[in-house]
């Protein structure tokens, strides 16, 4: 997403905390599985596992990651299993629909660590054989050499941080602090595709220093000649405190102007469409139904459990008789997190019970990122008394968006048009204000 502003930053942080983060998961959420839709909101969850370590920090990165000074994988593996067990018991979910190993650089972890954690999950919740299990891979020779072992450990989808694919642009990779070359990225991608055909995603950055619209088109064309069926496009954004931020502030490096990055985004959408990729979320494109079901669970407001330093979660504490969803954040710093897990079984540092309005705000903000938007039936799972038309049907701002063609409110539900999706960040504040107003009026009318 190329927009900037407070709402955009909030959405990006939410997605990153859950690690990118997001078409419904038909295998788990179809009406033909015999499970009531409302029951899925508490009985099912996805699982995110954060591996906090990297070999080096990219110049643009402000994720929760650390350069490990010692090999403590055995204790990290033990604590990840212990925390997963504790949180699964707290949630009492019956089914884990997907698992995502993010970071950091989870491809630094030994495959036995991945296998052990998946075995722990299987002991406490149903993890079906066809559940999506994704691992982020740094395309270095070390990461590539372990792909087959990861697959044998239970991974069936790879997400590869290619970032730059164009030949002979290794200087750009160095500028960003990446520790791989374009050739190594191609080798990793080729091997991953042979192991998991149709289940390999690539992440690519645009809006980089010295990049033009023309060079971006060339790069994307080269990528589409070698990639699998899923592409995630992310605009390079400046994050305060990073090396790149300091370089730009100091005038050492310049980034393309906002109108240039906007044109890059639109050109990419057009090129991907011509090559058979359907956009299903602001930054994500897939063909042959190769959507990320794990990320879709975030965008649809489903429960997710976050395990590992700095991981975020959203789930009901069934073991404690909970009736409302909690937002949980694990302790950031790995050493402190390890001590807490050893002492009390988990490293949850922050717990907030989400009230009805806060839950609806998240459902709205995430759901509107998808091209499908929010159906009336899906919204009713979270707001049975106040429908989408009740909330937005009489809104002056929404009526303006409908007349301009940026928003669509029809029997299917509420969604952005193709043009509106690129402008979501500018519309979302008005939608959130309208939601807040309507919910408060409704609660006041209902009384105590």
């Amino acid at each position: 997403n190329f927009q900037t502003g407070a709402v955009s930053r909030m959405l990006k942080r939410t997605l990153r905390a859950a690690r990118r983060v997001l078409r419904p998961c038909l295998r788990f959420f179809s009406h033909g599985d015999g499970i009531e839709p409302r029951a899925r909101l508490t009985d099912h969850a996805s699982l995110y596992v954060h591996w906090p370590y990297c070999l080096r920090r990219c110049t643009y990165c402000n994720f929760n990651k650390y350069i490990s000074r010692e090999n403590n994988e055995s204790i990290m593996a033990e604590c990840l299993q212990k925390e997963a067990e504790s949180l699964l018991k707290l949630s009492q979910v019956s089914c884990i629909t997907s698992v995502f190993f993010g970071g950091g650089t989870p491809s630094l972890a030994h495959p036995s660590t991945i296998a052990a954690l998946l075995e722990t999950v299987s002991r406490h919740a149903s993890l079906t054989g066809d559940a999506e299990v994704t691992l982020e891979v740094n395309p270095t020779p070390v990461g590539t050499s372990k792909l087959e072992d990861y697959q044998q450990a239970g991974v069936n989808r790879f997400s590869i941080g290619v970032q730059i694919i164009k030949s002979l642009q290794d200087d750009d990779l160095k500028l960003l602090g990446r520790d791989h070359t374009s050739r190594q990225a191609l080798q990793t991608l080729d091997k991953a595709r042979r192991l998991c055909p149709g289940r390999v995603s690539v992440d690519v950055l645009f809006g980089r220093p010295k990049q033009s619209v023309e060079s971006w088109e060339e790069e994307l064309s080269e990528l589409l000649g070698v990639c699998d069926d899923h592409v995630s496009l992310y605009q390079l954004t400046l994050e305060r405190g990073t090396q790149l931020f300091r370089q730009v502030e100091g005038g050492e490096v310049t980034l393309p102007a906002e109108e240039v990055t906007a044109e890059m985004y639109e050109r990419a959408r057009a090129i991907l469409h011509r090559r058979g990729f359907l956009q299903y979320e602001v930054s994500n494109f897939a063909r042959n139904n190769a959507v990320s079901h794990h990320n879709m669970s975030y965008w649809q407001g489903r429960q997710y459990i976050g395990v590992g330093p700095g991981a975020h979660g959203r789930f009901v504490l069934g073991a404690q008789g909970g009736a409302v969803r909690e937002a949980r954040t694990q302790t950031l710093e790995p050493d402190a997190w390890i001590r807490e897990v050893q002492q009390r079984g988990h490293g949850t540092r922050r717990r907030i019970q989400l009230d009805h309005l806060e839950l609806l705000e998240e459902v709205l903000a995430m759901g509107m990122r998808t091209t499908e938007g929010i159906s009336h039936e899906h919204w009713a799972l979270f707001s049975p008394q106040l429908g989408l038309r009740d909330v937005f049907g009489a809104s002056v701002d929404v009526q303006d968006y409908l007349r301009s063609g940026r928003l669509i409110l029809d029997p299917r539900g509420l969604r952005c048009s193709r043009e509106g999706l690129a402008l979501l960040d500018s519309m979302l504040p008005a939608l959130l204000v309208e939601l807040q107003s309507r919910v408060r009026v409704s609660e006041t009318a209902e009384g105590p």
Side-chain angles (χ1 to χ4, degrees), residues 247-318:
Q247 289 174 323
V248 172
E249 287 288 291
E252 304 170 48
V253 174
T254 59
L255 297 181
E258 184 175 342
E259 59 270 18
V260 175
T261 56
E263 181 64 19
M264 288 180 181
Y265 180 67
E266 289 303 326
R267 295 279 186 96
R269 296 173 85 189
I271 292 170
L272 285 161
H273 179 73
R274 289 198 298 269
R275 298 293 288 268
F277 285 84
L278 298 179
Q279 183 175 18
Y280 69 100
E281 191 266 345
V282 172
S283 300
N284 288 274
F285 304 76
R287 60 188 176 192
N288 301 323
N289 295 319
V291 300
S292 169
H293 297 305
H294 181 87
N295 286 338
M296 276 307 307
S297 67
Y298 299 145
W299 296 325
Q300 290 192 318
R302 307 289 180 177
Q303 287 195 126
Y304 56 95
I305 299 171
V307 171
H312 288 220
R314 298 285 191 280
F315 61 91
V316 175
L317 276 64

Side-chain angles (χ1 to χ4, degrees), residues 40-94:
R40 295 190 196 93
L41 295 181
T42 55
D43 290 346
H44 290 57
S46 55
L47 179 71
Y48 172 77
V49 183
H50 189 76
W51 183 263
Y53 300 121
C54 286
L55 292 178
R56 62 193 296 181
R57 179 175 287 276
C58 298
T59 63
Y60 59 90
C61 179
N62 73 338
F63 293 167
N64 183 46
K65 55 177 61 175
Y66 303 83
I67 311 303
S68 180
R69 292 183 295 272
E70 58 185 16
N71 185 356
N72 65 343
E73 176 155 0
S74 60
I75 192 169
M76 176 60 68
E78 177 185 325
C79 288
L80 286 173
Q81 293 173 70
K82 190 171 185 178
E83 183 168 75
E85 180 178 2
S86 297
L87 297 185
L88 285 168
K89 287 180 177 178
L90 275 175
S91 70
Q92 288 193 336
V93 297
S94 62

Side-chain angles (χ1 to χ4, degrees), residues 70-350:
E70 58 185 16
N71 185 356
N72 65 343
E73 176 155 0
S74 60
I75 192 169
M76 176 60 68
E78 177 185 325
C79 288
L80 286 173
Q81 293 173 70
K82 190 171 185 178
E83 183 168 75
E85 180 178 2
S86 297
L87 297 185
L88 285 168
K89 287 180 177 178
L90 275 175
S91 70
Q92 288 193 336
V93 297
S94 62
C95 180
I96 292 296
T97 57
S98 62
V99 182
F100 194 105
F101 293 91
T105 308
S107 55
L108 292 176
H110 194 277
S112 62
T113 296
I114 306 300
L117 189 54
L118 293 175
E119 289 170 6
T120 297
V121 173
S122 296
R123 287 198 300 269
H124 298 280
S126 172
L127 182 64
T128 59
D130 62 349
E132 183 183 86
V133 180
T134 306
L135 179 83
E136 288 185 337
V137 178
N138 195 25
T140 62
V142 172
T144 305
S145 67
K146 295 189 288 187
L147 290 179
E148 191 168 1
D149 292 332
Y150 286 131
Q151 184 190 42
Q152 293 176 358
V155 173
N156 55 28
R157 185 182 179 103
F158 293 112
S159 178
I160 302 175
V162 170
Q163 312 308 356
I164 301 173
I165 198 69
K166 189 164 177 58
S167 301
L168 305 178
Q169 284 197 330
D170 290 340
D171 286 345
D172 287 4
L173 285 166
K174 292 178 181 178
L175 177 63
L176 297 179
R178 303 294 295 177
D179 56 357
H180 68 271
T181 65
S182 296
R183 181 179 295 276
Q184 290 167 347
L186 291 171
Q187 292 170 342
T188 303
L189 181 54
D190 179 65
K191 185 171 182 179
R193 291 184 65 186
R194 284 188 276 112
L195 291 171
C196 297
R199 286 191 161 199
V200 178
S201 178
V202 295
D203 293 353
V204 188
L205 283 172
F206 69 95
R208 306 188 309 266
K210 300 183 294 184
Q211 192 179 37
S212 66
V213 172
E214 292 72 23
S215 67
W216 167 235
E217 285 187 303
E218 292 175 6
E219 183 176 340
L220 194 56
S221 295
E222 184 169 339
L223 171 68
L224 294 179
V226 296
C227 74
D228 201 42
D229 291 334
H230 193 282
V231 176
S232 297
L233 304 179
Y234 298 106
Q235 183 193 341
L236 178 61
T237 55
L238 280 181
E239 301 290 353
R240 190 174 296 276
T242 63
Q243 181 181 339
L244 183 62
F245 181 89
R246 292 189 294 270
Q247 289 174 323
V248 172
E249 287 288 291
E252 304 170 48
V253 174
T254 59
L255 297 181
E258 184 175 342
E259 59 270 18
V260 175
T261 56
E263 181 64 19
M264 288 180 181
Y265 180 67
E266 289 303 326
R267 295 279 186 96
R269 296 173 85 189
I271 292 170
L272 285 161
H273 179 73
R274 289 198 298 269
R275 298 293 288 268
F277 285 84
L278 298 179
Q279 183 175 18
Y280 69 100
E281 191 266 345
V282 172
S283 300
N284 288 274
F285 304 76
R287 60 188 176 192
N288 301 323
N289 295 319
V291 300
S292 169
H293 297 305
H294 181 87
N295 286 338
M296 276 307 307
S297 67
Y298 299 145
W299 296 325
Q300 290 192 318
R302 307 289 180 177
Q303 287 195 126
Y304 56 95
I305 299 171
V307 171
H312 288 220
R314 298 285 191 280
F315 61 91
V316 175
L317 276 64
Q320 297 179 1
V324 297
R325 192 177 293 190
E326 273 195 1
R328 298 172 73 97
T329 306
Q330 309 310 100
T331 293
L332 290 171
E333 203 277 328
D335 291 343
W337 173 84
I338 286 172
R339 288 194 298 270
E340 293 174 17
V341 173
Q342 291 173 330
Q343 291 168 4
R344 53 191 174 93
H346 63 82
T348 302
R349 177 59 60 92
R350 188 165 178 257

